[in-house]
Each structure stands twice: as structure tokens, then as C-alpha cells.
Amino acid sequence: GAARGGECCLWCLEKFLNFVNKNAYIQTAIVGTSFCSSAVAAFNLLLRNFLRLGAMTVITSIYLQIGKLFVAVMTGFICALIIAGGDINNITQAPCFSVTIIILMAFGIGSAFLDVWDMVVETLFQCFCMDQEMGCNKTEGGMKDLVGKNQATAEQAKALAACTLPGGGDGGGEPSRIQEDGSRSKSE
């Protein structure tokens, strides 16, 4: 009874802390603020966009599971085909234990690679939400058009620094990482 309830509460706390931790690291990578500031900023950003977050999480989870299963099943099929000597008619003669072990290993490897994809999707989601909130509107159009039309000038880099860096990019708070000519300076 009580032990089960405590275990459930600890499980929920662990999931929440993992969620905050991952999004804080994403926010740190995007903006360059400290971990605690990034955790608060990421939590607030995702809270303001919780409907989008829910839709993105459901769609991403479905694609991740399909991808993991596809990698595992196709690897198992190719393995069974190789073991059967390339004869598709004798594929059922492949040893089940060996194919099962290979399918499990392929699922683990596929999971590792697709977890990277999941992190990329979550990072792009935060970038999209930040872009929408700042009113930059740089998320429309194809990638080639987007890159071609949006080459940052020195003025744009300075304006972006004023939006994203603590202290408005003017030296207050943390040191600015973007100089007036648009080049990056080393943080001190």
C-alpha cells in the first residue's frame, strides 16, 4: 500500500526531473545561460506552449517506436536471410535464438540512434517556440530558402543578442558572445 504509493511518487519525481534536466541542457545550448536559469526558462517556455508540446510528444513517440521496430525487424529479417544462405524460401529454418538475440541488439542500437533524433526534435521544437515568441518568424519556407534569405548581418546579430543573451547583449549580466561586426567573442 504505502510503499507502492511512495514508489509511484518517486517514479513521477524522477520523470519530472529528467524532463526538466533535458530541456535545461537544450536551453543552455541554445541561449548560453547557466543551468538553473535555463531550467526555469525552458520550463516556462514549454508551459506556455503545452498544447504544442503535447502534440509533438505524441507524434514523436509514435515515429520513434515505429523507427525502432522497423530497424529491429529489418535487421532480424536480413540476419535470418543471411543465416538461411540467402534463400528466402528457407528463412523459417534460421535458428530462432540467434535471430532473437540479433533483433534485441538491433532494437537497442536503433533506440540509441533514435534517442539522438528525439533530442534534435526537442531542440528544434524549443527553437521554433522561441522564434514564434520573439516574433522573428524565420520558420517559414524551405530550408534552402530560409538559409538563403536569412543571412545575418552585424545589425541582426546584435539585435538577436539583445533578445537572447542576459543583460541584453550589452555586457550586463554574462559577457556577450556576439561582437558588433557579427563575429563571436570568447566568453571570459
Side-chain angles (χ1 to χ4, degrees), residues 99-157:
V99 174
T100 303
I101 295 298
I102 289 173
I103 287 173
L104 292 174
M105 289 173 54
F107 187 82
I109 292 169
S111 295
F113 278 98
L114 288 172
D115 284 345
V116 173
W117 183 73
D118 183 44
M119 184 66 87
V120 168
V121 169
E122 291 187 24
T123 303
L124 289 174
F125 176 73
Q126 282 196 34
C127 288
F128 172 79
C129 291
M130 290 171 67
D131 181 62
Q132 292 293 307
E133 288 183 0
M134 283 189 245
C136 296
N137 294 323
K138 298 205 182 265
T139 56
E140 296 179 18
M143 185 59 82
K144 185 175 181 182
D145 294 335
L146 178 71
V147 172
K149 291 178 185 175
N150 296 300
Q151 293 294 326
T153 63
E155 294 80 28
Q156 290 170 331

Side-chain angles (χ1 to χ4, degrees), residues 6-24:
E7 187 177 326
C8 181
C9 289
L10 287 175
W11 180 83
C12 290
L13 178 64
E14 178 187 14
K15 292 295 179 187
F16 175 75
L17 291 176
N18 285 338
F19 173 79
V20 169
N21 188 36
K22 178 166 50 168
N23 288 298

Side-chain angles (χ1 to χ4, degrees), residues 24-64:
Y25 279 121
I26 290 171
Q27 194 70 219
T28 298
I30 294 170
V31 182
T33 55
S34 68
F35 180 80
C36 292
S37 301
S38 295
V40 171
F43 184 77
N44 289 332
L45 178 71
L46 296 175
L47 191 62
R48 289 188 303 268
N49 294 284
F50 73 95
L51 291 176
R52 287 177 174 170
L53 176 66
M56 191 248 344
T57 301
V58 168
I59 292 168
T60 304
S61 297
I62 291 169
Y63 277 109
L64 282 174

